[in-house]
Amino acid sequence: MSDKKVLEIMEEHVRNNEYKLLRLHMGVEKVVEISERTENVVQEMVDDVATLRTKVAHLEDDIDEVKKGQVSVGHVFRIAGMVVGAAISIAFTVFQILQ
C-alpha cells in the first residue's frame, strides 16, 4: 500500500474515533442530567416523607387531645347528671314541703 492510502485509512479511523468520542461525551452528559433529575426527585420524595411524618405526628397529637377531650366530656355529663339529680331532689323536697 502506498503511504497516501495508509494516511487516508488512518485519517478515517481518527474521524471515526472522534465521532465515537463525541457520542460517548454526549451520552455521559445525558447520564449526568438524568442523575441530577433523579437526585432532585429523590430529594422531593425525602421532603414529602418528612412532611408526612410531621403531619402524622400532628394527627397523633390531635387524636390524643380528642381522647382526653372525650374523657372530659364524660366527666361533664357525669357532673351534669349529678346536678340534674340534685335539682330533682330539691324540687321533690320543695314539693313535699309545700304539700
Side-chain angles (χ1 to χ4, degrees):
M1 264 199 278
S2 70
D3 288 343
K4 186 175 181 181
K5 184 69 174 169
V6 171
L7 185 60
E8 287 176 4
I9 293 173
M10 290 176 69
E11 286 175 345
E12 184 178 338
H13 282 293
V14 168
R15 278 193 302 273
N16 287 339
N17 286 336
E18 286 176 344
Y19 179 70
K20 289 176 185 176
L21 185 60
L22 179 61
R23 284 189 358 200
L24 180 64
H25 179 72
M26 291 171 63
V28 168
E29 285 180 348
K30 284 186 178 184
V31 167
V32 168
E33 181 182 324
I34 291 169
S35 175
E36 288 172 350
R37 280 189 279 157
T38 302
E39 184 179 346
N40 290 340
V41 169
V42 168
Q43 187 58 48
E44 288 175 11
M45 291 171 71
V46 167
D47 293 343
D48 290 345
V49 167
T51 301
L52 288 173
R53 284 183 178 165
T54 302
K55 288 182 179 181
V56 166
H58 287 298
L59 286 174
E60 288 173 344
D61 292 344
D62 292 345
I63 288 170
D64 289 341
E65 287 180 23
V66 167
K67 285 180 182 177
K68 289 177 185 175
Q70 287 174 343
V71 171
S72 297
V73 169
H75 288 305
V76 168
F77 281 120
R78 191 175 310 131
I79 292 169
M82 289 181 202
V83 170
V84 169
I88 291 172
S89 295
I90 291 170
F92 185 70
T93 303
V94 169
F95 177 74
Q96 286 183 343
I97 292 174
L98 293 176
Q99 295 238 340

